[in-house]
Amino acid sequence: MSFSGGGRKTLDWLMNDCVPCCEKEYGLTGMRILCGYSLAGLFSLWAFYESQVFSGVISCSGSLWFGDWISYAESHTAPQNSSVYLSLGDREEKARDRIMATVGDCTRRQYELVCGDKNVSRHILEWNEGGHFNEPEKRIAKGIRWCVK
């Protein structure tokens, strides 16, 4: 599959415009947590590693099968004292598409990397019932609840 490759532009906007605006306009301080589902889950992990300014990341049903993600993750470390929440549906790795079917193995490998990262103080891999499109809002809410505890 082909995607636009706008991750860098989105991260730049997030860091240079969105975060400063939210902090100034709403007086937000403290933890910065990224959250995403599917391709946004992949983006959240990438931005978490790339920027080193977020204290937590939530990747629900992240598209970790995409490209050479695992090689990227193997060569990066998380920000200090960070939290990582990963989740996947228990039927997602049963996809007909052989590349997408690797999502279970890729998510397990990502979790191994997180477990071995000395900068990650809290981590979890949570399995949910169903496929990719099963209750995404509930899965995200579970991740947010876990991250802010």
Side-chain angles (χ1 to χ4, degrees):
M1 289 184 208
S2 176
F3 298 99
S4 67
R8 173 58 59 191
K9 185 176 177 182
T10 301
L11 179 57
D12 288 346
W13 169 82
L14 191 64
M15 297 309 306
N16 298 324
D17 298 318
C18 183
V19 169
C21 178
C22 289
E23 289 176 345
K24 181 181 177 187
E25 293 294 318
Y26 303 106
L28 298 177
T29 60
M31 292 190 328
R32 291 181 183 154
I33 301 170
L34 276 172
C35 178
Y37 197 93
S38 194
L39 280 171
L42 175 67
F43 170 80
S44 294
L45 277 170
W46 174 79
F48 174 72
Y49 282 126
E50 198 68 18
S51 68
Q52 295 287 306
V53 298
F54 294 94
S55 55
V57 65
I58 300 162
S59 178
C60 298
S61 293
S63 300
L64 307 187
W65 50 264
F66 183 74
D68 207 10
W69 171 254
I70 294 301
S71 292
Y72 172 87
E74 288 173 339
S75 66
H76 288 77
T77 57
Q80 287 191 329
N81 198 30
S82 56
S83 299
V84 178
Y85 178 93
L86 302 171
S87 78
L88 196 66
D90 60 8
R91 291 192 348 232
E92 292 192 58
E93 61 190 337
K94 295 176 175 78
R96 288 187 181 124
D97 182 284
R98 73 175 173 79
I99 293 174
M100 288 184 179
T102 66
V103 71
D105 291 338
C106 293
T107 302
R108 286 181 195 90
R109 178 64 182 136
Q110 177 67 52
Y111 186 63
E112 288 173 2
L113 294 172
V114 165
C115 290
D117 189 330
K118 65 180 176 26
N119 290 340
V120 177
S121 58
R122 293 178 63 226
H123 50 76
I124 189 171
L125 169 55
E126 190 165 64
W127 291 91
N128 299 280
E129 288 186 26
H132 187 71
F133 299 104
N134 192 52
E135 300 181 316
E137 297 88 357
K138 184 177 178 181
R139 293 182 189 184
I140 289 171
K142 285 167 61 176
I144 293 169
R145 193 174 318 115
W146 180 86
C147 231
V148 298
K149 278 187 183 177

